[in-house]
Amino acid sequence: MTQKIALWSIPISLAVLALKLLAWWLTGSVALLSDAMESTVNVLAAMLAYFAVRVANKPPDENHPFGHKKAEYLSAVVEGVLIVLAAFLIIREAVLALPNPHLEDAPFLGIAVNVIATGVNGAWAYLLLRIGRREGSPALEASSRHIFTDVMTSVGVVVGLILALVTGWLILDPILAILVALNILWEGWKVIRASVDGLMDVSLSDHDLQTVSKAIEANLGTALEYHDLKGRRSANIIFVEFHLVVDGAMSVSAAHDICNEIEQALERIYPGSVFVIHLEPDDELKGSGAKAH
């Protein structure tokens, strides 16, 4: 599903780019040019996301026993860098236009074309966000955040251009472009930061840790406690490990059955994930028998 959606992102981003370039050609607006330049990044990002999702969906192999999911984080980092680059290019164009701001003869037609492009972008970003969250895909989520940024800036540009046309203050056009660029810089930084966290094996979120804890506690059986729980995420796969304390006299077979129960419960919540349980005898208790972690 993620691969199919990522593939469709390419023609849709190309169509939006074409509409925005037409809007710029009709108006000569540097703010609309900045909007179009951001859509150029969207096209490159869509291609990167498709490639990353294809690689990430490959099964584990001899050289990559834990799978290829981190390819999506790499794609998202590159996308963030492209976003930042686009912002600097927009600032350059806007600064050059400040001394002589101007618009062409068909500004309202160009604005209407841009509004259509923005509507297409918004609908697609919403779909990407829903599917990205459902499938646990960092690449699709990064693309959706980028496109939502594009939508918000497009709305701001359109409102600002209409205000410039009504008041005759054409200087608002390059000023708007600079404001758009600053917002894009911030969004690019957030995409890079989140993706680097994934590459650096940042800990699971509090929500995920609580979910894992509840699943363990509900299936402890005759085990005495668990502790030293930790985990990390790689796209839609999580890696979890913890220590499980059992009665020192318990048979290996009985302890193994408890581990299986816990692993099966976690697998139902996080399919395809990896769980490592380190068994310990009761002299390793840390919580006086409490189910601490």
Side-chain angles (χ1 to χ4, degrees):
M1 181 64 175
T2 55
Q3 187 169 325
K4 184 177 180 181
I5 291 295
L7 179 60
W8 270 104
S9 286
I10 298 174
I12 289 175
S13 61
L14 284 169
V16 170
L17 173 60
L19 287 171
K20 289 191 175 183
L21 286 173
L22 176 60
W24 165 64
W25 181 73
L26 289 169
T27 62
S29 163
V30 70
L32 289 182
L33 173 60
S34 69
D35 209 9
M37 289 176 70
E38 186 178 5
S39 290
T40 302
V41 177
N42 285 350
V43 174
L44 295 174
M47 294 177 180
L48 278 171
Y50 174 64
F51 172 76
V53 168
R54 283 192 62 185
V55 173
N57 284 338
K58 290 182 179 180
D61 55 36
E62 185 176 346
N63 291 327
H64 306 88
F66 295 102
H68 302 77
K69 292 296 183 179
K70 286 195 175 182
E72 294 201 38
Y73 291 115
L74 287 171
S75 165
V77 168
V78 174
E79 181 173 343
V81 172
L82 289 174
I83 293 172
V84 170
L85 177 60
F88 282 118
L89 291 174
I90 292 167
I91 290 173
R92 177 182 178 275
E93 293 297 322
V95 169
L96 291 175
L98 280 172
N100 184 31
H102 68 282
L103 295 174
E104 302 295 341
D105 294 333
F108 286 106
L109 178 58
I111 289 173
V113 171
N114 190 270
V115 168
I116 293 172
T118 301
V120 173
N121 243 4
W124 187 246
Y126 178 71
L127 181 63
L128 281 178
L129 184 62
R130 286 191 60 186
I131 295 175
R133 286 179 174 173
R134 188 183 70 199
E135 302 294 330
S137 171
L140 292 186
E141 285 198 54
S143 292
S144 70
R145 287 196 298 271
H146 182 196
I147 296 173
F148 270 128
T149 302
D150 193 10
V151 170
M152 290 186 292
T153 54
S154 295
V155 170
V157 165
V158 168
V159 172
L161 281 178
I162 292 174
L163 182 62
L165 289 169
V166 170
T167 62
W169 299 344
L170 299 186
I171 192 67
L172 289 175
D173 181 39
I175 291 175
L176 276 171
I178 292 172
L179 293 176
V180 167
L182 293 175
N183 184 53
I184 293 171
L185 272 176
W186 174 240
E187 290 300 321
W189 163 246
K190 288 196 292 185
V191 169
I192 293 171
R193 183 180 60 185
S195 303
V196 169
D197 277 347
L199 290 172
M200 296 296 291
D201 291 335
V202 70
S203 175
L204 288 176
S205 67
D206 290 341
H207 171 74
D208 282 326
L209 286 173
Q210 289 173 8
T211 301
V212 170
S213 295
K214 289 177 181 177
I216 296 172
E217 291 170 8
N219 294 275
L220 276 176
T222 57
L224 302 176
E225 72 168 26
Y226 70 101
H227 54 248
D228 294 343
L229 171 64
K230 57 185 176 181
R232 63 182 176 86
R233 175 177 288 278
S234 184
N236 60 338
I237 301 297
I238 68 169
F239 296 83
V240 170
E241 61 181 80
F242 59 93
H243 295 200
L244 183 69
V245 182
V246 298
D247 189 327
M250 180 180 287
S251 69
V252 173
S253 178
H256 180 261
D257 288 342
I258 296 174
C259 291
N260 277 344
E261 289 292 328
I262 294 173
E263 287 175 356
Q264 289 169 11
L266 290 170
E267 175 70 23
R268 286 192 291 270
I269 304 171
Y270 299 100
S273 295
V274 178
F275 310 102
V276 179
I277 304 175
H278 178 72
L279 278 172
E280 294 179 338
D282 47 20
D283 58 3
E284 295 291 335
L285 280 170
K286 291 188 176 181
S288 300
K291 298 173 178 61
H293 63 276

